Structure formats: structure tokens, C-alpha cells
Amino acid sequence: MIRRVALIGLGTMGPGIAARLARGGLDVVAFDSAAAAVERAKAMLPVAAGALDRLGITPPEAGEGTIAFAASLAEAVKGCDLVIENVPEDAGIKAEIYRAIDPLIGSQTIVATDTSGIPITGLQENISHPERFVGMHWSNPPHIIPMIEVIGGAKTAPATVAAIRDLIRSLGLLPVVLKKDVPGFVENRVLYALLREAVDLVERGVIEAEDLDTCVSWGIGYKIAVIGPMALLDMAGLDIYRSVSSFLNADLADRKDVSPAVEERFAARKLGIKTGEGMYSYTPERIAALQGERAGKLIAIRRILEAAK
Ligand code: NAD
């Protein structure tokens, strides 16, 4: 029975995850090594709770869980049933955390990582009970997107995968269990295939960035929220797909390195919203409005899709 969760890392993902777990009745003890991240997380929690209210997500009968902030890693993991690691996407930083918590956690504690795609099989070598180590990949914003990938590594026990799958279900969320531990898992493999093609089309001057976004959001994106790719193949007809893919697959972007369009921006510190410029330019006012605007639209879409079931 998972009741107390230690959440390590409170950057982009941590606060939304904490809010969602607490709303599901779990007690969360959160820790981040940066004081500023803890302050930002504290400010973000009521915002995430407000989004959960607007989604109509209510606590279980036993009531909402608590969120506490620990002063150390040891304090955070003490007596917890589950650790969710949310530190930066760097195998070295993650390995350090696993080695540090290894002697501190109980014999039944599950350790889950929110890595976006580092294979679980390698990460689990840093802990003395790899059978209780698992991937639990949330999607951003984690308090709003209901799908969570569950990935077992070579040494993960099936019971560990089942426990995380069942926990996600008990929260009213949608677990997707992978059958193999592949880099990038499934969500990001599909997304990165799309992003490679999108960046290539803009870079080659086929289309303006804004028009590409309109094309994907209102063409494929809007439809794919209702009809997934496998169902879409059946809707279009496999004969049509066979015919088009017989010439188109050979023409699609297939570069193995990072596109120059991205490398050039990276070198110029044009990293997107966080630096004010990336694929687009942003004013500070626009940046302040974007997060709320996007959350509002995602909530509205999810409510309508759920009501239409
Ligand atoms: P982030 O960089 O925004 O936050 C990471 C936090 O970890 C920071 O606040 C940092 O201070 C803290 N941290 C670093 N070292 C620490 C340590 N030793 N102990 C405690 N805290 C420490 O990262 P993020 O975007 O929240 O991503 C976290 C993980 O989730 C990554 O593995 C990432 O790939 C994955 N993820 C991210 C997204 C996304 O859209 N950002 C989506 C899904 C999964």
C-alpha cells in the first residue's frame, strides 16, 4: 500500500506532481537541494490545486493528502513507501541520488524515476534492489495531463510495475505500461519523430513556424486527441497509408544529429521561453500570460473530451 511519497526535485515537474498526488490522498514529503526551487514550488502549489479544482478532481473519501517540505534528502525519504525522483535529466546526478537514498529506504520502498527517456536498465544499476526500481514518466504539465508511462528495466520485478500501474489507476489517471525499455520510451519517441520533421520543414523554408504550428495543432493535433495513430491508420485505410508511405517515408527527415537550426539557437542562448527567444520571441508580459493561458485551454479540452465519453 503506497501512502507516503518522497518527491525529490521540485523544478518544472515536481510541484504539479506533488499537487496531483496530494489531491489523490497521498502524503508527500518534498525535497529540493535549491532553496529557490522550494520557494517557487510553494508558490506553484495553489496554482496547481486551482487547476485540479477546475478539472473537477476531488480527493478520495479519506480526504486530501498533505504536502510537507523536508530539509534534507534523508528526512524526505524516511519511512516512505515510494520515492519519485525528479532531478535534472542527467544520469550522473540521478545515480548520485539513488546511491544516497539506498541505505536510507525501507525494504519494501519502490524507487521511481520521472526520466524522460534514459533507459531504466542502466539507472537501476545504482541501487541495491533494482527489482524495486521503475520508470514513472509523467507528461508536462503533470497535474493536467492524465497519461503516465510505466517502464520496467531488465531487473525490475513485474510486481513493481504492477504496483505503480495500480497506484496510477487508483488516482484516476491513465497508466501506459511499456513492454520494453527503449530510449525515450514511447511518448518522446513519437514526439521527437514529429519534432525532427517539423524543425526540418521550417529550416528548409517549406513553411513559416507559425503556419507549421497551425497545421499541426488544428490538423493532426486536434484529431489525435480523439483518434490515436493506430486508430487513425484504420480510419484513413491501410491501402492509402501503404501507397503514400511507399514514396514519402524515403523523403522524411532522418538526420541522426541535432539540426543546425537548434544548434545555432543553442549557441546564441536562444533557448525559448526561459531566455525570451527560441523559435519565437517573447515579451515578459507574453511569458507571464502563456502558462495560465495554456493550462486553461488544456483543462477546457480535457473537460470536454471527458464529458463526451
Ligand atoms: P528541472 O531542472 O526543472 O528541475 C530539477 C530540480 O531538481 C531543480 O529544482 C534542482 O534544484 C533539483 N535538484 C538537482 N539536483 C538535486 C539533488 N541532488 N537533490 C535534490 N534536488 C536536486 O527539471 P524538470 O524539467 O522538472 O525535470 C525533472 C525530471 O523529469 C527529468 O528527468 C526530466 O527529463 C523529467 N521530465 C521533464 C518533463 C518536462 O517537460 N520538463 C516532462 C517529463 C519528464
Side-chain angles (χ1 to χ4, degrees), residues 8-14 31-34 37 40 73 85-89 93-94 97 113-116 137-140:
I8 313 302
L10 297 169
T12 305
M13 297 297 283
F31 172 70
D32 196 294
S33 51
R40 274 195 305 272
L73 187 63
E85 168 275 304
N86 255 297
V87 301
E89 190 72 345
I93 298 176
K94 289 182 185 297
I97 297 275
T113 172
D114 186 24
T115 171
S116 297
H137 178 224
W138 298 66
S139 198
N140 188 18

Side-chain angles (χ1 to χ4, degrees), residues 52-212:
L52 292 169
D53 292 342
R54 282 188 284 153
L55 278 167
I57 296 167
T58 51
E61 254 175 43
E64 179 133 358
T66 56
I67 301 175
F69 291 88
S72 67
L73 187 63
E75 186 190 326
V77 300
K78 189 165 183 263
C80 70
D81 308 303
L82 168 67
V83 178
I84 301 180
E85 168 275 304
N86 255 297
V87 301
E89 190 72 345
D90 176 316
I93 298 176
K94 289 182 185 297
E96 258 180 52
I97 297 275
Y98 308 145
R99 287 196 286 265
I101 62 172
D102 202 28
L104 305 171
I105 55 177
S107 62
Q108 297 307 311
T109 302
I110 292 177
V111 178
T113 172
D114 186 24
T115 171
S116 297
I118 304 174
I120 304 305
T121 301
L123 291 178
Q124 71 188 163
E125 289 305 323
N126 299 291
I127 203 142
S128 54
H129 285 285
E131 71 278 10
R132 293 198 303 271
F133 186 93
V134 66
M136 184 184 194
H137 178 224
W138 298 66
S139 198
N140 188 18
H143 52 295
I144 296 177
I145 309 290
M147 191 286 303
I148 302 175
E149 289 180 288
V150 184
I151 313 101
K155 293 185 180 168
T156 307
T160 302
V161 171
I164 296 300
R165 180 201 60 204
D166 293 349
L167 173 74
I168 295 168
R169 273 194 195 138
S170 74
L171 291 166
L173 299 168
L174 296 171
V176 170
V177 178
L178 270 60
K179 292 159 72 179
K180 289 186 181 171
D181 178 24
V182 289
F185 313 137
V186 169
E187 189 191 26
N188 276 330
R189 289 184 78 97
V190 173
L191 175 64
Y192 275 66
L194 187 152
L195 292 177
R196 178 165 65 177
E197 183 62 33
V199 169
D200 186 68
L201 288 166
V202 172
E203 192 176 16
R204 286 200 289 133
V206 174
I207 192 165
E208 290 297 329
E210 272 182 25
D211 291 331
L212 182 123

Side-chain angles (χ1 to χ4, degrees), residues 251-299:
D251 197 58
L252 293 174
D254 66 349
R255 63 179 320 134
K256 304 289 180 217
D257 59 353
V258 180
S259 132
V262 173
E263 289 291 20
E264 281 159 20
R265 286 174 173 84
F266 177 77
R269 292 284 300 164
K270 293 181 179 174
L271 305 181
I273 289 175
K274 67 180 88 171
T275 57
E277 190 171 348
M279 292 300 178
Y280 297 115
S281 296
Y282 304 86
T283 60
E285 299 74 46
R286 184 79 195 109
I287 291 172
L290 262 180
Q291 198 181 12
E293 213 176 89
R294 287 178 174 164
K297 287 181 180 176
L298 286 170
I299 290 167

